[in-house]
Amino acid sequence: MREIKFRALKLRTKEFIYGSLMSDDKQGVAMIQQRANPVNYGNATGWCFGVDPQSVGQFTGLQDKNGVDIYEGDIVKRLTLYPKGGLTEKLSVSYDKCSFGLGTNFLGNQDSKELEVIGN
């Protein structure tokens, strides 16, 4: 089974947090659930955070050549073999029609070890 996880920017601190995506129908605010201690399921207070809905990105299930997780919204660098000597491309990871993509290519067709996350 593939790992399903998300990341987003916290509203107050603008730092990335990672976890499960939740939504609040009353306020329409996307939230990320993050547990400091996985065995402590007590009251949700302290591990549910309001996040910027525009910053939510899903994990693609792939890692780049440095072992960094690749998320939707990341900017990756790819070295192509042609023309001679190679060419560096900067591409955005996106989600469309039930699959992750790099520019116009399906991400699953890429060798993720040829990619390097350089931003988001």
Side-chain angles (χ1 to χ4, degrees):
M1 181 165 66
R2 71 183 177 95
E3 185 175 14
I4 299 173
K5 60 183 178 179
F6 294 84
R7 75 163 181 211
L9 292 172
K10 281 172 104 172
L11 286 174
R12 292 186 180 165
T13 63
K14 301 298 183 198
E15 66 180 308
F16 274 116
I17 58 173
Y18 301 81
S20 300
L21 183 63
M22 300 178 359
S23 65
D24 180 343
D25 293 335
K26 291 180 183 177
Q27 296 183 13
V29 177
M31 299 179 77
I32 291 287
Q33 178 181 38
Q34 182 178 3
R35 291 188 199 114
N37 181 357
V39 297
N40 181 9
Y41 294 103
N43 187 336
T45 304
W47 51 267
C48 289
F49 302 96
V51 297
D52 177 355
Q54 299 298 316
S55 71
V56 175
Q58 186 175 1
F59 177 50
T60 64
L62 301 173
Q63 294 182 329
D64 74 358
K65 68 180 189 176
N66 300 315
V68 175
D69 289 347
I70 301 174
Y71 283 84
E72 173 187 11
D74 279 344
I75 306 299
V76 296
K77 180 171 67 171
R78 177 176 65 184
L79 179 65
T80 60
L81 300 177
Y82 303 101
K84 247 185 179 175
L87 178 68
T88 300
E89 294 180 289
K90 291 181 183 177
L91 301 163
S92 177
V93 178
S94 60
Y95 185 82
D96 186 38
K97 298 180 183 168
C98 300
S99 64
F100 290 101
L102 260 183
T104 59
N105 297 324
F106 173 57
L107 186 58
N109 291 341
Q110 305 294 314
D111 180 357
S112 63
K113 299 305 177 196
E114 296 175 357
L115 304 174
E116 181 178 12
V117 175
I118 57 171
N120 45 48

